[in-house]
Amino acid sequence: MKLDENTLARLIEQAGPDDTLRPEHQRQLREQSLAAFDIAQAKPTRRAFGPTLADYGRWIVRSPISRVAAMIVLVVAVGGVAIWFYGGGATYAFADFVAPILEAKTAKFKITTEMKGQPTLTSEVMVLDAARQRQEAEMPNKTKGITITDFTRGKSLTLDPASKKALVITYAGLTKKQVAQQNMFAQFRSILLDARDKPGIKREPLGEKEIDGRRVVGFRVKMVGTELSLWGDPKTGLPVRVEQTVGLYGNTRVTMSDFVFNVPMDESLFSVEPPAGYTVQNQTVDASPATEKDLIGTFRIYCELCGGVFPDSLDTQPMMMKVGMRIGMMVASKSAMQTVREKLASGKQKLSEEQIRKVEEAMDKILEWQLDSAKKPNEEELRKTVGLKEAMEALAGGKGKLSEEEIHKNAQAAAAKNSEAGMKEFMKVQTPLQRGLIFVFTLPANADAHYAGKGVTTGTLDRPIFWYKPTGAKTYRVIFADLSVRDAEMPPKVAGAQAVPAASSGEKK
Amino acid sequence: MTLEPTPAMKRPEDDLVVRAHTDRAAFGQLYDAYYPAIFRYCFRRLFVRAVAEDVTSEVFLVVASKMPRFAGTTDEDFRRWVFRIATNEVNAYLRQTKRRRALLESAARSGDLAASVCPAVGDGGVERLDWPALYRAILSLKPCEQAILHLRFFEQMSHEQIAGVLQKRPASVRVGLSRALEKLRCQFRIDERHVTVHTR
């Protein structure tokens, strides 16, 4: 039999894909289409002179960037010629609003960061190129903080104009690829590229709304590790607002707005040399690619500082907060105990070293209670502690028993007094703590990484707390609570293990 | 030549199209009727479901916004119009080399082999074609040829209907179809003398 059109037709028909409809998409699009229908009905319709349209579809002018910028229709009718100019209703795809961001040589925009339990931070950002950026942030205490980064020089400069203090950080060990990717804007562009081009990414139209009196159209993109909503102005084809949920567990919301592209910028604004008149502090940070060893280091430091218990989750913000508070408490406690020791030593009641140690323990518990209201110490035990009353009186400056409010005030005052010392201690551990988390964040999706350390005490034998499969490896690497590491053919089975979201476009390891 | 339907000949589907120019509920019914066909058309042309959904969304948002200006009065008019918009949107999407490459990579990676590979030569006769392979072959054709193939074989449109969608003459559609099929035969290296077909 000859393989003709009919035969080939039958074969082609049989070969079709599984094209089952997705009811959710059908339903959502129905609502959006009806909304668009309503808007179109509300607009006055322009009518051509003469007969109706014949072939408007032939005459479409498309710009290289936008899919439909304007439509010009030529209608030839019996008895006359009519021209109907249709100037509105341009249709934009997600890719069109992303294009100006991807193609910009320079950019200025506002960025607002909202984190649960934290004050909202607003910054003005200027981007000169992929490696140079300037961010002016409004701090919670209403002062301004300026951070300038220049990754080709491997440096950042943070300025506090109010106190005339400058911090210069040198990033040692940066690879070329890291230089290209460190800049916040470059990382954002990388996410947008994935959102635009990666097959299988879910993009859904959000319809229209008004932002600052402008009609905008929106798109939502869901990717591993982040969710992004982009709103654009169909009149200009430019992005108006981008809202992104970030953080390992989606607990941080970042909004970028007020975009201005390709404006000339003064290069001197991006200099990482401290201005004259500033007190300069220098710091070197190891910026080389993070490894498994760094993660073990993170666990070690965290447990040492936080009572020997692993974090509830590998989420940067809560972990850093807890470490910061513990360090603050330790510094305040140390300072307070110094005062107490001096007073007890010069007081009427002489206490032994053991008794003074017990007083210090009790004071620690009270201070910890100020930081965490859930940790109210056992009052009866405290009452039994010899010398505690005198110690509290010593702290109160001889005023007698302190109320809870006064204790809290004193703790805050001590913390404020010791904030500089506390900050210095925190900065010693900040980078090694973060490096382990960077290692986790940049694991690819197929690493199948999991964390199971919540509530586990360091040193517990044979208790897996983290595992992952390195790229190209046949076995898993398993980190145990005693910080030993072993290879395993299969991932451990631990109840409550949390899957670690992979980076949206992380480097492969 | 299409005869203008007399009132007696008017079908309910045509009436729905007329009402949908201004009536929201009627437009919703039209959407319900055409969503499956348009999505499937986009999906077969674009291979990746998420991309097909995106483009389907574009199509219906364009249809909704232009409905007041749509001049057609029959279901056939609407069908040609909506498929024309869909074809334009799909072609616009495929115009970017990067996108075509991504779709080809998806097809190459696809594990969804519902059918066995290429028509077998010899006594076994012609089996089923592999969809990813077929998709890649079709994607290598010109956009117009791709559209003709899809509309003909998957949407079961006549040459005249395809001509209405693509705004070409029926003769041009026949020539385009013939060329597309010849290119496909060459791609699959079918030897007509050795192929047998199991009829149903």
Short mmCIF file of all heavy atoms in Angstrom, two decimals, chain A residues 297-351:
data_model
loop_
_atom_site.label_atom_id
_atom_site.label_comp_id
_atom_site.label_asym_id
_atom_site.label_seq_id
_atom_site.Cartn_x
_atom_site.Cartn_y
_atom_site.Cartn_z
N GLY A 297 31.03 23.52 59.97
CA GLY A 297 31.46 24.66 60.79
C GLY A 297 30.28 25.47 61.28
O GLY A 297 30.23 25.89 62.43
N THR A 298 29.30 25.66 60.41
CA THR A 298 28.09 26.40 60.80
C THR A 298 27.38 25.70 61.94
O THR A 298 26.98 26.33 62.93
CB THR A 298 27.16 26.53 59.58
OG1 THR A 298 27.78 27.34 58.59
CG2 THR A 298 25.81 27.14 59.95
N PHE A 299 27.24 24.39 61.80
CA PHE A 299 26.55 23.63 62.85
C PHE A 299 27.31 23.74 64.18
O PHE A 299 26.72 23.92 65.24
CB PHE A 299 26.42 22.16 62.45
CG PHE A 299 25.38 21.89 61.40
CD1 PHE A 299 25.60 20.95 60.40
CD2 PHE A 299 24.15 22.55 61.41
CE1 PHE A 299 24.65 20.69 59.42
CE2 PHE A 299 23.19 22.29 60.45
CZ PHE A 299 23.44 21.37 59.45
N ARG A 300 28.63 23.66 64.07
CA ARG A 300 29.45 23.68 65.30
C ARG A 300 29.28 25.01 66.02
O ARG A 300 29.01 25.06 67.21
CB ARG A 300 30.92 23.45 64.97
CG ARG A 300 31.83 23.50 66.20
CD ARG A 300 33.28 23.14 65.92
NE ARG A 300 33.41 21.75 65.49
CZ ARG A 300 33.77 21.36 64.28
NH1 ARG A 300 34.07 22.25 63.35
NH2 ARG A 300 33.86 20.09 63.99
N ILE A 301 29.43 26.11 65.28
CA ILE A 301 29.35 27.44 65.89
C ILE A 301 27.96 27.66 66.48
O ILE A 301 27.81 28.15 67.60
CB ILE A 301 29.65 28.53 64.84
CG1 ILE A 301 31.10 28.43 64.37
CG2 ILE A 301 29.37 29.92 65.40
CD1 ILE A 301 31.42 29.29 63.18
N TYR A 302 26.95 27.28 65.71
CA TYR A 302 25.58 27.51 66.18
C TYR A 302 25.33 26.77 67.48
O TYR A 302 24.79 27.33 68.45
CB TYR A 302 24.58 27.08 65.10
CG TYR A 302 23.15 27.37 65.47
CD1 TYR A 302 22.55 28.57 65.09
CD2 TYR A 302 22.39 26.48 66.24
CE1 TYR A 302 21.24 28.86 65.45
CE2 TYR A 302 21.10 26.77 66.61
CZ TYR A 302 20.53 27.95 66.22
OH TYR A 302 19.24 28.25 66.59
N CYS A 303 25.71 25.51 67.51
CA CYS A 303 25.45 24.71 68.72
C CYS A 303 26.24 25.23 69.91
O CYS A 303 25.74 25.26 71.04
CB CYS A 303 25.76 23.24 68.46
SG CYS A 303 24.58 22.47 67.34
N GLU A 304 27.45 25.67 69.66
CA GLU A 304 28.26 26.20 70.78
C GLU A 304 27.60 27.43 71.39
O GLU A 304 27.65 27.66 72.59
CB GLU A 304 29.66 26.58 70.28
CG GLU A 304 30.60 25.40 70.19
CD GLU A 304 31.93 25.75 69.52
OE1 GLU A 304 32.12 26.93 69.16
OE2 GLU A 304 32.76 24.82 69.35
N LEU A 305 27.01 28.24 70.53
CA LEU A 305 26.43 29.50 71.00
C LEU A 305 25.00 29.35 71.51
O LEU A 305 24.53 30.19 72.27
CB LEU A 305 26.44 30.54 69.87
CG LEU A 305 27.83 31.08 69.50
CD1 LEU A 305 27.74 31.90 68.23
CD2 LEU A 305 28.40 31.92 70.63
N CYS A 306 24.32 28.32 71.04
CA CYS A 306 22.88 28.24 71.32
C CYS A 306 22.51 27.02 72.14
O CYS A 306 21.53 26.32 71.84
CB CYS A 306 22.09 28.27 70.00
SG CYS A 306 22.34 29.80 69.10
N GLY A 307 23.27 26.77 73.14
CA GLY A 307 22.89 25.74 74.12
C GLY A 307 23.02 24.32 73.62
O GLY A 307 22.38 23.42 74.17
N GLY A 308 23.83 24.10 72.58
CA GLY A 308 24.09 22.72 72.16
C GLY A 308 22.97 22.07 71.38
O GLY A 308 22.95 20.85 71.19
N VAL A 309 22.01 22.89 70.91
CA VAL A 309 20.89 22.31 70.16
C VAL A 309 20.92 22.84 68.73
O VAL A 309 21.14 24.03 68.51
CB VAL A 309 19.54 22.68 70.82
CG1 VAL A 309 18.38 22.10 70.03
CG2 VAL A 309 19.51 22.19 72.26
N PHE A 310 20.69 21.96 67.76
CA PHE A 310 20.70 22.38 66.36
C PHE A 310 19.52 23.30 66.07
O PHE A 310 18.50 23.24 66.76
CB PHE A 310 20.66 21.15 65.44
CG PHE A 310 21.96 20.40 65.41
CD1 PHE A 310 22.19 19.35 66.28
CD2 PHE A 310 22.96 20.75 64.52
CE1 PHE A 310 23.40 18.66 66.28
CE2 PHE A 310 24.18 20.07 64.50
CZ PHE A 310 24.40 19.04 65.39
N PRO A 311 19.63 24.12 65.01
CA PRO A 311 18.53 25.05 64.70
C PRO A 311 17.27 24.30 64.28
O PRO A 311 17.35 23.16 63.81
CB PRO A 311 19.07 25.89 63.53
CG PRO A 311 20.21 25.12 62.97
CD PRO A 311 20.76 24.28 64.07
N ASP A 312 16.12 24.96 64.43
CA ASP A 312 14.86 24.34 64.02
C ASP A 312 14.81 24.13 62.51
O ASP A 312 14.21 23.18 62.02
CB ASP A 312 13.67 25.22 64.44
CG ASP A 312 13.45 25.18 65.94
OD1 ASP A 312 14.07 24.32 66.61
OD2 ASP A 312 12.67 26.00 66.46
N SER A 313 15.41 25.06 61.77
CA SER A 313 15.44 24.92 60.31
C SER A 313 16.67 25.67 59.80
O SER A 313 17.24 26.48 60.52
CB SER A 313 14.18 25.50 59.67
OG SER A 313 14.17 26.91 59.81
N LEU A 314 17.04 25.40 58.56
CA LEU A 314 18.21 26.08 57.98
C LEU A 314 17.75 27.35 57.29
O LEU A 314 17.83 27.49 56.08
CB LEU A 314 18.91 25.15 56.99
CG LEU A 314 19.53 23.91 57.59
CD1 LEU A 314 20.27 23.10 56.54
CD2 LEU A 314 20.48 24.25 58.74
N ASP A 315 17.22 28.25 58.08
CA ASP A 315 16.73 29.51 57.54
C ASP A 315 17.60 30.62 58.11
O ASP A 315 17.69 30.78 59.33
CB ASP A 315 15.27 29.70 57.94
CG ASP A 315 14.55 30.56 56.93
OD1 ASP A 315 15.21 31.14 56.06
OD2 ASP A 315 13.31 30.63 57.00
N THR A 316 18.22 31.39 57.23
CA THR A 316 19.26 32.34 57.66
C THR A 316 18.76 33.30 58.74
O THR A 316 19.40 33.47 59.78
CB THR A 316 19.75 33.18 56.47
OG1 THR A 316 20.04 32.33 55.40
CG2 THR A 316 20.97 33.99 56.83
N GLN A 317 17.62 33.92 58.46
CA GLN A 317 17.20 35.00 59.35
C GLN A 317 16.97 34.53 60.78
O GLN A 317 17.55 35.08 61.71
CB GLN A 317 15.95 35.68 58.75
CG GLN A 317 15.67 37.05 59.33
CD GLN A 317 16.84 37.99 59.24
OE1 GLN A 317 17.61 37.93 58.30
NE2 GLN A 317 16.98 38.84 60.21
N PRO A 318 16.15 33.51 61.00
CA PRO A 318 15.95 33.06 62.38
C PRO A 318 17.25 32.58 63.03
O PRO A 318 17.49 32.83 64.21
CB PRO A 318 14.96 31.89 62.25
CG PRO A 318 14.31 32.08 60.93
CD PRO A 318 15.29 32.79 60.06
N MET A 319 18.11 31.95 62.25
CA MET A 319 19.36 31.46 62.83
C MET A 319 20.22 32.62 63.27
O MET A 319 20.77 32.63 64.38
CB MET A 319 20.12 30.61 61.80
CG MET A 319 19.60 29.19 61.66
SD MET A 319 20.50 28.23 60.44
CE MET A 319 22.09 28.03 61.21
N MET A 320 20.37 33.62 62.42
CA MET A 320 21.22 34.76 62.74
C MET A 320 20.65 35.54 63.92
O MET A 320 21.38 36.04 64.79
CB MET A 320 21.35 35.69 61.53
CG MET A 320 22.18 35.09 60.41
SD MET A 320 23.84 34.74 60.98
CE MET A 320 24.45 33.75 59.64
N MET A 321 19.30 35.64 63.93
CA MET A 321 18.65 36.34 65.05
C MET A 321 18.98 35.66 66.36
O MET A 321 19.34 36.31 67.34
CB MET A 321 17.12 36.30 64.85
CG MET A 321 16.60 37.27 63.85
SD MET A 321 16.59 38.94 64.47
CE MET A 321 15.55 38.77 65.89
N LYS A 322 18.85 34.35 66.37
CA LYS A 322 19.09 33.61 67.62
C LYS A 322 20.54 33.75 68.06
O LYS A 322 20.83 34.00 69.24
CB LYS A 322 18.74 32.14 67.41
CG LYS A 322 18.85 31.30 68.66
CD LYS A 322 17.66 30.40 68.83
CE LYS A 322 17.76 29.72 70.20
NZ LYS A 322 16.96 28.52 70.28
N VAL A 323 21.45 33.62 67.10
CA VAL A 323 22.87 33.75 67.45
C VAL A 323 23.16 35.15 67.96
O VAL A 323 23.85 35.34 68.96
CB VAL A 323 23.75 33.40 66.23
CG1 VAL A 323 25.17 33.87 66.42
CG2 VAL A 323 23.71 31.91 65.95
N GLY A 324 22.59 36.14 67.27
CA GLY A 324 22.80 37.53 67.68
C GLY A 324 22.31 37.77 69.10
O GLY A 324 22.98 38.42 69.91
N MET A 325 21.14 37.23 69.40
CA MET A 325 20.57 37.41 70.74
C MET A 325 21.41 36.71 71.78
O MET A 325 21.65 37.24 72.87
CB MET A 325 19.14 36.86 70.77
CG MET A 325 18.15 37.88 70.21
SD MET A 325 16.52 37.23 69.80
CE MET A 325 16.09 36.20 71.16
N ARG A 326 21.88 35.51 71.47
CA ARG A 326 22.70 34.76 72.42
C ARG A 326 24.00 35.50 72.69
O ARG A 326 24.44 35.60 73.84
CB ARG A 326 23.02 33.36 71.88
CG ARG A 326 21.83 32.47 71.68
CD ARG A 326 21.16 32.08 72.94
NE ARG A 326 22.02 31.36 73.84
CZ ARG A 326 21.59 30.62 74.86
NH1 ARG A 326 20.29 30.52 75.08
NH2 ARG A 326 22.42 30.00 75.65
N ILE A 327 24.60 36.03 71.63
CA ILE A 327 25.85 36.76 71.80
C ILE A 327 25.58 38.03 72.62
O ILE A 327 26.32 38.37 73.54
CB ILE A 327 26.49 37.10 70.45
CG1 ILE A 327 27.06 35.84 69.83
CG2 ILE A 327 27.57 38.18 70.60
CD1 ILE A 327 27.65 36.03 68.45
N GLY A 328 24.50 38.71 72.26
CA GLY A 328 24.13 39.92 73.00
C GLY A 328 23.93 39.62 74.47
O GLY A 328 24.38 40.35 75.36
N MET A 329 23.25 38.53 74.72
CA MET A 329 22.97 38.14 76.10
C MET A 329 24.26 37.80 76.82
O MET A 329 24.46 38.18 77.98
CB MET A 329 22.05 36.93 76.09
CG MET A 329 21.46 36.60 77.44
SD MET A 329 20.77 34.94 77.46
CE MET A 329 22.21 33.97 77.73
N MET A 330 25.14 37.09 76.13
CA MET A 330 26.40 36.70 76.76
C MET A 330 27.24 37.92 77.08
O MET A 330 27.84 38.02 78.16
CB MET A 330 27.18 35.76 75.83
CG MET A 330 26.68 34.33 75.91
SD MET A 330 27.05 33.29 74.48
CE MET A 330 28.73 33.60 74.17
N VAL A 331 27.26 38.85 76.17
CA VAL A 331 28.06 40.06 76.40
C VAL A 331 27.45 40.87 77.54
O VAL A 331 28.15 41.33 78.46
CB VAL A 331 28.14 40.91 75.11
CG1 VAL A 331 28.66 42.30 75.40
CG2 VAL A 331 29.01 40.22 74.08
N ALA A 332 26.13 41.00 77.52
CA ALA A 332 25.45 41.76 78.58
C ALA A 332 25.61 41.04 79.91
O ALA A 332 25.84 41.67 80.96
CB ALA A 332 23.97 41.90 78.23
N SER A 333 25.49 39.75 79.83
CA SER A 333 25.60 38.95 81.05
C SER A 333 26.99 39.07 81.65
O SER A 333 27.16 39.24 82.86
CB SER A 333 25.27 37.50 80.70
OG SER A 333 25.61 36.66 81.76
N LYS A 334 27.99 39.03 80.79
CA LYS A 334 29.38 39.13 81.24
C LYS A 334 29.59 40.47 81.94
O LYS A 334 30.20 40.56 83.01
CB LYS A 334 30.29 39.02 80.02
CG LYS A 334 31.73 38.66 80.30
CD LYS A 334 32.44 38.40 78.97
CE LYS A 334 33.94 38.47 79.17
NZ LYS A 334 34.67 38.32 77.92
N SER A 335 29.08 41.50 81.29
CA SER A 335 29.24 42.84 81.85
C SER A 335 28.48 42.96 83.17
O SER A 335 28.98 43.52 84.16
CB SER A 335 28.74 43.86 80.82
OG SER A 335 28.63 45.11 81.40
N ALA A 336 27.27 42.41 83.20
CA ALA A 336 26.46 42.48 84.42
C ALA A 336 27.12 41.70 85.54
O ALA A 336 27.16 42.14 86.70
CB ALA A 336 25.06 41.93 84.13
N MET A 337 27.64 40.54 85.20
CA MET A 337 28.26 39.71 86.24
C MET A 337 29.51 40.36 86.80
O MET A 337 29.83 40.18 87.97
CB MET A 337 28.60 38.32 85.67
CG MET A 337 27.40 37.44 85.47
SD MET A 337 26.14 37.60 86.76
CE MET A 337 27.07 37.17 88.22
N GLN A 338 30.19 41.12 85.96
CA GLN A 338 31.37 41.83 86.44
C GLN A 338 30.95 42.79 87.55
O GLN A 338 31.56 42.87 88.62
CB GLN A 338 32.01 42.58 85.26
CG GLN A 338 33.33 43.24 85.57
CD GLN A 338 34.40 42.25 85.98
OE1 GLN A 338 34.40 41.09 85.55
NE2 GLN A 338 35.28 42.67 86.87
N THR A 339 29.84 43.49 87.26
CA THR A 339 29.31 44.44 88.24
C THR A 339 28.89 43.70 89.51
O THR A 339 29.19 44.12 90.64
CB THR A 339 28.08 45.18 87.66
OG1 THR A 339 28.44 45.75 86.41
CG2 THR A 339 27.58 46.23 88.61
N VAL A 340 28.21 42.60 89.31
CA VAL A 340 27.71 41.83 90.46
C VAL A 340 28.86 41.30 91.30
O VAL A 340 28.86 41.38 92.53
CB VAL A 340 26.81 40.67 89.95
CG1 VAL A 340 26.60 39.64 91.03
CG2 VAL A 340 25.48 41.23 89.47
N ARG A 341 29.85 40.76 90.63
CA ARG A 341 31.02 40.20 91.35
C ARG A 341 31.66 41.27 92.22
O ARG A 341 32.01 41.04 93.38
CB ARG A 341 32.05 39.67 90.36
CG ARG A 341 31.83 38.25 89.95
CD ARG A 341 32.96 37.77 89.04
NE ARG A 341 32.82 36.36 88.78
CZ ARG A 341 33.36 35.40 89.52
NH1 ARG A 341 34.11 35.70 90.56
NH2 ARG A 341 33.17 34.13 89.21
N GLU A 342 31.81 42.44 91.62
CA GLU A 342 32.47 43.52 92.36
C GLU A 342 31.65 43.90 93.58
O GLU A 342 32.18 44.11 94.68
CB GLU A 342 32.66 44.75 91.45
CG GLU A 342 33.79 44.60 90.43
CD GLU A 342 33.71 45.64 89.32
OE1 GLU A 342 32.85 46.55 89.39
OE2 GLU A 342 34.50 45.53 88.37
N LYS A 343 30.34 43.95 93.36
CA LYS A 343 29.48 44.34 94.48
C LYS A 343 29.46 43.27 95.56
O LYS A 343 29.47 43.57 96.76
CB LYS A 343 28.04 44.58 93.97
CG LYS A 343 27.90 45.79 93.09
CD LYS A 343 28.05 47.08 93.87
CE LYS A 343 27.85 48.27 92.95
NZ LYS A 343 28.13 49.53 93.61
N LEU A 344 29.39 42.01 95.12
CA LEU A 344 29.33 40.92 96.10
C LEU A 344 30.64 40.83 96.87
O LEU A 344 30.67 40.52 98.06
CB LEU A 344 29.02 39.59 95.40
CG LEU A 344 27.60 39.42 94.87
CD1 LEU A 344 27.45 38.08 94.15
CD2 LEU A 344 26.59 39.50 96.00
N ALA A 345 31.73 41.10 96.14
CA ALA A 345 33.04 41.00 96.80
C ALA A 345 33.20 42.09 97.86
O ALA A 345 33.86 41.89 98.88
CB ALA A 345 34.14 41.10 95.75
N SER A 346 32.58 43.23 97.59
CA SER A 346 32.75 44.34 98.54
C SER A 346 31.58 44.42 99.52
O SER A 346 31.56 45.29 100.38
CB SER A 346 32.86 45.65 97.77
OG SER A 346 31.67 45.89 97.06
N GLY A 347 30.62 43.51 99.40
CA GLY A 347 29.43 43.57 100.24
C GLY A 347 29.62 42.90 101.59
O GLY A 347 30.67 42.34 101.89
N LYS A 348 28.52 42.95 102.37
CA LYS A 348 28.59 42.39 103.72
C LYS A 348 28.67 40.87 103.68
O LYS A 348 29.38 40.24 104.45
CB LYS A 348 27.37 42.81 104.53
CG LYS A 348 27.36 44.27 104.90
CD LYS A 348 26.12 44.62 105.70
CE LYS A 348 26.09 46.14 105.88
NZ LYS A 348 24.81 46.60 106.35
N GLN A 349 27.90 40.26 102.78
CA GLN A 349 27.86 38.80 102.75
C GLN A 349 28.92 38.29 101.78
O GLN A 349 28.85 38.53 100.59
CB GLN A 349 26.47 38.34 102.30
CG GLN A 349 26.28 36.84 102.38
CD GLN A 349 24.89 36.41 101.97
OE1 GLN A 349 24.12 37.22 101.47
NE2 GLN A 349 24.57 35.16 102.19
N LYS A 350 29.92 37.56 102.29
CA LYS A 350 30.95 37.02 101.43
C LYS A 350 30.48 35.68 100.88
O LYS A 350 30.09 34.80 101.64
CB LYS A 350 32.27 36.81 102.22
CG LYS A 350 32.82 38.07 102.84
CD LYS A 350 33.42 38.98 101.77
CE LYS A 350 33.97 40.23 102.46
NZ LYS A 350 34.10 41.35 101.55
N LEU A 351 30.52 35.55 99.58
CA LEU A 351 30.09 34.29 98.97
C LEU A 351 31.30 33.52 98.44
O LEU A 351 32.29 34.11 98.05
CB LEU A 351 29.13 34.56 97.79
CG LEU A 351 27.85 35.32 98.10
CD1 LEU A 351 27.02 35.49 96.84
CD2 LEU A 351 27.04 34.59 99.17
#
